[in-house]
Amino acid sequence: MAALRAGTIDGARFLGLPEKIGTLSPSKAADIVLIDRTGSRLARVRDSAVAVVLFSQTEDVRHVMMRGRIVKRDGRLVEARRAGLVRRLVDVGSAVLAHGEERIEDAPLWNF
C-alpha cells in the first residue's frame, strides 16, 4: 500500500500540490487508470496494490480518464485525443521533473 500512496497522495505532497492532485476529491484534477487484473500475471498476486505497482504492464491498462475525459478505451487510445494526449503527457512530465528538482531535498523516504 505504501507504493500506491507514493504514487498518489504522497507524490502530490512531494510536489507541493496536495490541494490540486493526489486523491479523488471534488475540485481536484483526477486522472484515473483502470487496470485489468484477470490476466495470468496479475491474477496470481493477492494484493491489488502490489499487482498494479510492481507487475502491471501497458497491455493491462484498459481505460484511462484524464481530467474527466476518456483518452483510452478498451485498451486503445481514443483517436481524436491522441495528439492532445501526447502534448499533455510531455507538458506534465516536464512540469513534474522541473518541480521535483526544486523539491528534491525535501523528498520523503518511503519504506517499501
Side-chain angles (χ1 to χ4, degrees), residues 1-46:
M1 199 56 137
L4 189 58
R5 287 182 56 87
T8 56
I9 188 60
D10 289 345
R13 287 182 184 132
F14 170 73
L15 294 170
L17 301 171
E19 68 285 345
K20 295 182 180 181
I21 61 172
T23 61
L24 295 176
S25 303
S27 78
K28 287 190 177 182
D31 296 344
I32 301 170
V33 178
L34 298 177
I35 296 175
D36 182 2
R37 286 211 43 211
T38 61
S40 62
R41 182 181 53 260
L42 299 181
R44 294 184 298 218
V45 182
R46 291 182 191 207

Side-chain angles (χ1 to χ4, degrees), residues 3 30 32 34 39 45 50 65 94 97 99:
I32 301 170
L34 298 177
V45 182
V50 170
M65 182 182 290
S94 298
L97 289 174
H99 195 74

Side-chain angles (χ1 to χ4, degrees), residues 10-107:
D10 289 345
R13 287 182 184 132
F14 170 73
L15 294 170
L17 301 171
E19 68 285 345
K20 295 182 180 181
I21 61 172
T23 61
L24 295 176
S25 303
S27 78
K28 287 190 177 182
D31 296 344
I32 301 170
V33 178
L34 298 177
I35 296 175
D36 182 2
R37 286 211 43 211
T38 61
S40 62
R41 182 181 53 260
L42 299 181
R44 294 184 298 218
V45 182
R46 291 182 191 207
D47 186 313
S48 293
V50 170
V52 168
V53 172
L54 298 180
F55 300 109
S56 64
Q57 296 180 4
T58 55
E59 63 265 18
D60 301 317
V61 177
R62 300 301 304 152
H63 307 287
V64 176
M65 182 182 290
M66 295 176 68
R67 294 188 177 207
R69 294 189 179 122
I70 296 173
V71 296
K72 187 172 186 178
R73 179 180 287 129
D74 297 322
R76 297 180 153 280
L77 288 177
V78 176
E79 284 297 322
R81 310 265 334 140
R82 188 173 290 182
L85 173 62
V86 171
R87 272 195 308 276
R88 174 147 162 69
L89 290 173
V90 169
D91 291 346
V92 168
S94 298
V96 166
L97 289 174
H99 195 74
E101 287 173 2
E102 295 170 8
R103 298 183 47 93
I104 198 70
E105 65 278 356
D106 299 330

